[in-house]
Amino acid sequence: MFGATLLRMTFDPAPRVSVSDHVFGRLRDAIVSGRYAPDETLPGERELAGAFAVNRHAVREALRRLQQLGLVRVSQGGATRVLDWRVHAGLDLALSLARSGDVLPVETLVRDMLEMRACVGIDAARLCAERADPAVVAALVRAAEEYGDLAPDLDLMNKANIAIWRLVVRGSGNTAYQLAFNSLVAGTFAVGDVPPDARAAELLDVAGHRCLAASVASGQGAAAARHARELLTAPVTTPTSPTSGREARA
Amino acid sequence: MFGATLLRMTFDPAPRVSVSDHVFGRLRDAIVSGRYAPDETLPGERELAGAFAVNRHAVREALRRLQQLGLVRVSQGGATRVLDWRVHAGLDLALSLARSGDVLPVETLVRDMLEMRACVGIDAARLCAERADPAVVAALVRAAEEYGDLAPDLDLMNKANIAIWRLVVRGSGNTAYQLAFNSLVAGTFAVGDVPPDARAAELLDVAGHRCLAASVASGQGAAAARHARELLTAPVTTPTSPTSGREARA
DNA sequence: ACACATCAACTCGTCAACTGGTTGTACCAG
DNA sequence: CTGGTACAACCAGTTGACGAGTTGATGTGT
């Protein structure tokens, strides 16, 4: 353990970013930050390659990724146009945004992702309780029971918490929820440590997770949704302004 | 209208798929369908290039996109390993899945996306009503008023409907909701026409959309959420099997 | 003066062959 | 069994070239 701490504190994991990753990140930030307005034409591949001092193929790989992300639209013969990411980009952009922030206020992004986590988690808990797969439910109950054993270590609890919610989302049988959950988890991981205090309160609520699992196991969707709401809305309502309604808990 | 129908029925939208797109789609389907199990090693780039009879760069571009989608993890020197897309893939995969279905039951995927649309839309309506930007609210009210003018044409109404909800999501001020909404819209568009009847009932409910806009304009989050729920939950509860619990509505 | 076909100069799309850095494995001396 | 080396396989990146498509200007006929 001493060695691990020493290593983690002393040495970086090596800044090994590939060339195309570099180009991709720069262009993404430039587009999202608005330095390239929507409908504007990006420089040609050769020009970009010259500007970044890299090969054209590296630029092409970066452009392909930007295209898949919904940030640009390349067309053979024509110029590559910048798209409005607020309209064409998918949820995966959030991860990419969080990973190298600065371009968007990180606090707001984290709040948004926590809000979405609550929204999806609550409904997933309800669905999981209703159309439950026995195996998943059993795994969920077991995970919830073993959850308290990690009591003091917030890092471990966070991992276990993600595992629990992953089971819930899987149990919901909704692929879209599952994929969105992955995006959110990756995003919050990329952004580093989110609001520590509020999340800590949520993570340490071992009883709440047990109640959630029990509700799911007994097939009571409404109760599962209620418990999920109590767990998930705390981090989003506590640190932010008191605008969001507290009516649901009354 | 005759010409449009003729064109749509007669000619394909041009099978202009680039080589890298082809490789990408094939590999994606192979991975998602399970022909490549998680943790399995994909063939090398040269081997794949040989198998597809294309250049290695085309394979590289495809692999880059797969990596960004969270389907594989390539590492220099080592082999490219297949990841479990249920764990590592983001919501954008849903679009990619819907675009070339067959690999996953389309009905289920559509149901899932409609469910998620309802879940996100309801909360977005609530947030939009609470933290409203006057300009967006004004645009929303205007859009809702002009919505009924397109009464008979379901295609136009669908477009206008998307515009309305886009305003709602934008008004919510939640970037994650916005991005997820984009993913869902693109996915439902890609899958072609989703359950026509249920969606038609929703689309033709002009009064419901006006009520939603009015609730948002008056800043009543709960009412906006209720109207959004009435609009969005109809398509998901009506056409599916009666397995989903009806307790919540009782 | 206007409409239209033609063409040249871009752009992206694809390909071939090459060099270099990284990983994993097999092998061998101690 | 340990530690080091040698080698093969792989990914990463580069160079150079050609084909395919788009765009805008040019020239021509009406």
Side-chain angles (χ1 to χ4, degrees):
Chain A
M1 174 171 289
F2 171 78
T5 305
L6 176 68
L7 279 175
R8 182 144 59 137
M9 303 309 287
T10 314
F11 303 120
D12 294 351
R16 304 249 309 276
V17 288
S18 72
V19 175
S20 79
D21 281 350
H22 175 79
V23 176
F24 168 76
R26 285 300 188 86
L27 288 178
R28 163 173 53 74
D29 290 349
I31 291 174
V32 175
S33 67
R35 280 180 37 214
Y36 283 112
D39 255 30
E40 197 173 342
T41 63
L42 224 56
E45 291 179 353
R46 290 168 171 80
E47 198 171 344
L48 285 174
F52 284 107
V54 298
N55 189 276
R56 191 163 74 98
H57 288 294
V59 174
R60 281 181 59 81
E61 289 178 5
L63 285 179
R64 280 285 203 222
R65 294 173 60 183
L66 290 174
Q67 182 184 25
Q68 177 171 337
L69 222 53
L71 265 57
V72 302
R73 187 195 52 187
V74 317
S75 55
Q76 183 175 355
T80 72
R81 301 197 90 84
V82 178
L83 295 176
D84 189 350
W85 63 269
R86 293 159 196 275
V87 177
H88 293 89
L91 187 57
D92 284 0
L93 178 62
L95 188 159
S96 207
L97 282 180
R99 183 157 294 167
S100 124
D102 304 352
V103 66
L104 219 65
V106 178
E107 307 168 359
T108 306
L109 193 59
V110 168
R111 183 206 63 177
D112 292 350
M113 289 197 288
L114 286 179
E115 266 180 9
M116 183 166 176
R117 187 183 68 122
C119 177
V120 170
I122 291 169
D123 203 45
R126 180 181 65 84
L127 290 177
C128 183
E130 290 176 356
R131 36 171 125 122
D133 177 2
V136 176
V137 172
L140 174 62
V141 171
R142 194 170 60 247
E145 283 181 359
E146 296 172 353
Y147 180 61
D149 301 343
L150 315 168
D153 192 338
L154 280 182
D155 209 29
L156 279 179
M157 291 187 84
N158 190 24
K159 281 205 170 84
N161 184 271
I162 289 176
I164 287 179
W165 282 108
R166 192 178 295 284
L167 283 172
V168 171
V169 171
R170 171 190 297 223
S172 75
N174 187 317
T175 305
Y177 282 177
Q178 234 174 321
L179 297 176
F181 177 79
N182 291 338
S183 293
L184 294 176
V185 167
T188 49
F189 257 115
V191 85
D193 270 312
V194 288
D197 45 351
R199 281 280 286 154
E202 172 208 341
L203 288 176
L204 290 174
D205 185 3
V206 177
H209 290 85
R210 289 220 176 114
C211 288
L212 171 65
S215 301
V216 169
S218 58
Q220 297 180 345
R226 193 173 61 248
H227 287 124
R229 180 183 301 277
E230 289 178 3
L231 282 172
L232 296 177
T233 54
V236 60
T237 57
T238 304
T240 60
S241 61
T243 58
S244 58
R246 193 161 293 275
E247 57 177 20
R249 315 199 61 165
Chain B
M1 175 172 288
F2 172 78
T5 305
L6 177 67
L7 279 175
R8 184 141 60 133
M9 301 309 287
T10 313
F11 303 120
D12 295 351
R16 304 252 310 278
V17 288
S18 68
V19 174
S20 78
D21 282 349
H22 176 78
V23 176
F24 168 75
R26 286 299 189 87
L27 289 178
R28 163 173 53 74
D29 291 348
I31 291 174
V32 175
S33 67
R35 281 181 33 214
Y36 283 112
D39 255 28
E40 195 172 344
T41 64
L42 226 54
E45 291 181 353
R46 290 169 173 80
E47 199 170 342
L48 286 175
F52 284 107
V54 298
N55 189 274
R56 191 167 69 93
H57 284 296
V59 175
R60 279 179 61 82
E61 290 178 4
L63 286 178
R64 283 285 200 213
R65 293 173 61 183
L66 291 174
Q67 181 184 24
Q68 178 171 337
L69 222 54
L71 265 57
V72 302
R73 188 195 52 189
V74 315
S75 53
Q76 183 175 354
T80 74
R81 300 198 91 83
V82 178
L83 296 177
D84 188 351
W85 62 269
R86 294 159 195 274
V87 177
H88 292 89
L91 186 58
D92 285 0
L93 179 62
L95 189 159
S96 208
L97 282 180
R99 184 157 293 168
S100 126
D102 304 352
V103 65
L104 219 64
V106 179
E107 307 168 359
T108 305
L109 194 60
V110 168
R111 184 206 62 175
D112 292 350
M113 289 197 285
L114 287 180
E115 268 181 8
M116 183 164 175
R117 187 183 69 121
C119 177
V120 170
I122 292 169
D123 203 44
R126 179 181 65 83
L127 291 177
C128 183
E130 289 175 357
R131 39 171 123 122
D133 177 3
V136 176
V137 172
L140 174 62
V141 171
R142 195 171 60 247
E145 283 182 358
E146 296 172 352
Y147 180 61
D149 300 344
L150 315 168
D153 191 339
L154 280 181
D155 210 29
L156 279 178
M157 291 188 82
N158 191 22
K159 280 205 172 89
N161 185 271
I162 289 176
I164 286 179
W165 282 108
R166 191 178 296 284
L167 284 172
V168 171
V169 172
R170 172 192 296 224
S172 75
N174 187 317
T175 304
Y177 282 177
Q178 234 174 319
L179 296 175
F181 176 78
N182 291 337
S183 293
L184 294 176
V185 167
T188 48
F189 256 113
V191 84
D193 271 312
V194 289
D197 45 351
R199 280 279 286 155
E202 173 208 341
L203 288 177
L204 291 174
D205 185 2
V206 178
H209 289 85
R210 289 218 177 116
C211 287
L212 171 65
S215 301
V216 169
S218 60
Q220 298 180 345
R226 192 174 63 250
H227 287 124
R229 179 183 301 277
E230 289 177 3
L231 282 172
L232 295 177
T233 54
V236 59
T237 57
T238 305
T240 59
S241 63
T243 58
S244 58
R246 198 158 290 274
E247 59 171 21
R249 315 201 59 169

